[in-house]
Amino acid sequence: WARYQGCTGALTDSGTRLDLVSSLPDPETRVDRTQGCPHSAVELWTLGGGDHFPLLLPAFGIIVHAFFEAHPKPSR
């Protein structure tokens, strides 16, 4: 996605952690961001310590919606 969005920077740890999986204690999801994206935000969310198909918290949809709301699709 970074290449598609024309990002020129590296993928770096944002320091943000999200609590998305109900069966794991503490915020388990690491958020990495690609720098230098002129048109959009590109993030990689990595679930740590969970199953391949985790049981997500009901708040997952709210968090994803907030990301898309904060980063609307650019008009080209």
Side-chain angles (χ1 to χ4, degrees):
W1 285 112
R3 189 173 350 155
Y4 177 77
Q5 291 297 335
C7 302
T8 58
L11 184 67
T12 58
D13 184 354
S14 69
T16 300
R17 300 294 183 267
L18 302 172
D19 188 13
L20 301 178
V21 181
S22 61
S23 62
L24 297 173
D26 303 322
E28 74 296 315
T29 303
R30 174 180 160 162
V31 178
D32 294 322
R33 291 191 180 108
T34 303
Q35 304 301 313
C37 300
H39 304 292
S40 184
V42 177
E43 294 184 351
L44 172 65
W45 295 6
T46 304
L47 302 171
D51 295 330
H52 188 68
F53 296 105
L55 180 59
L56 299 171
L57 291 171
F60 175 75
I62 294 168
I63 294 168
V64 170
H65 182 266
F67 172 83
F68 285 120
E69 195 170 56
H71 305 94
K73 182 179 177 182
S75 57
R76 291 188 188 200

